[in-house]
Amino acid sequence: MAELVQGTKETSKLERPLSARKPTGPEGAQFEKVIQINRIAKVVKGGKRFHFSALVVVGNGSGCVGYALEKANEVADAIRKALQVARKNTIQVSLRNRTIPYGVVGEYGAARVLLKPAAEGTGVIAGGAVRALCECCGIKDILTKSLGSDNAITALKAALQGLMSLRTESVRLNEGTSVNEGCKARTEKA
């Protein structure tokens, strides 16, 4: 599969780690992160049949992010399929400089994720799937807390739902609510 050419080893795209992949896409740099790989076993008459599911997040680092969960018989195929689907299903997230405009709680199933803006230099205070989502989205300073379920898939979907509910300040002013009132209403509801 890989040949030695003038003393260097040449590898295919799937053999290289994701961090070594070159930026792709029309927007320029693309961030690709594999969050979770699950082995699924189906018990049949002759034993067990295994296949794999891959949860990935892609983003351009400036507010555009997408995710996908895909299955295949091999790990590399599952990752490849998930990356293709994630690139097709991207959304735009409202950002203010290096953080989000205001605090929000995202909910999906039993998972709840609290997302709060942070001062410059704080960094990404998040764990697992939410950290990967924030880094791919281009958020540099944010405070998060996962409340409820610790499942990576539902935590990711809850955080994404919270990010999708963010609106720019000009849209909020047109609706007649200030940024602080919207944040208070969301935290009181929680």
Side-chain angles (χ1 to χ4, degrees):
M1 189 169 181
E3 299 177 8
L4 290 175
V5 180
Q6 298 177 0
T8 62
K9 186 176 178 183
E10 193 176 303
T11 59
S12 70
K13 185 175 182 179
L14 290 177
E15 289 176 339
R16 288 182 279 166
L18 289 177
S19 58
R21 290 193 182 173
K22 293 186 176 167
T24 58
E27 303 89 20
Q30 283 276 335
F31 297 99
E32 304 170 343
K33 292 192 183 274
V34 176
I35 296 173
Q36 186 178 49
I37 296 176
N38 284 333
R39 186 180 75 172
I40 298 129
K42 178 181 180 181
V43 179
V44 293
K45 183 178 174 183
K48 294 180 181 177
R49 295 240 173 109
F50 295 107
H51 61 275
F52 301 89
S53 69
L55 178 65
V56 301
V57 174
V58 298
N60 65 357
S62 60
C64 189
V65 68
Y67 83 97
L69 175 67
E70 291 296 319
K71 300 176 228 16
N73 289 332
E74 299 294 329
V75 175
D77 293 338
I79 293 172
R80 182 182 44 76
K81 282 172 63 175
L83 287 172
Q84 287 176 348
V85 172
R87 284 190 201 107
K88 289 180 186 175
N89 300 327
T90 58
I91 60 154
Q92 189 67 35
V93 177
S94 300
L95 299 178
R96 181 191 293 160
N97 298 330
R98 299 167 42 105
T99 189
I100 57 177
Y102 53 91
V104 68
V105 176
E107 295 181 10
Y108 182 86
R112 294 174 62 217
V113 176
L114 171 68
L115 304 164
K116 290 174 67 176
E120 190 170 337
T122 303
V124 178
I125 310 297
V130 181
R131 173 179 286 274
L133 179 70
C134 291
E135 289 173 352
C136 287
C137 189
I139 299 171
K140 306 285 190 233
D141 301 306
I142 191 168
L143 301 169
T144 68
K145 178 65 181 166
S146 179
L147 311 165
S149 175
D150 60 351
N151 184 324
I153 298 167
T154 55
L156 175 73
K157 289 180 179 181
L160 196 61
Q161 187 274 331
L163 290 175
M164 287 181 359
S165 70
L166 293 174
R167 294 167 286 172
T168 59
E169 194 169 333
S170 60
V171 171
R172 293 177 60 80
L173 291 175
N174 289 340
E175 293 175 354
T177 59
S178 71
V179 174
N180 292 333
E181 288 174 9
C183 188
K184 287 178 188 173
R186 280 186 169 70
T187 54
E188 289 171 5
K189 186 175 123 179

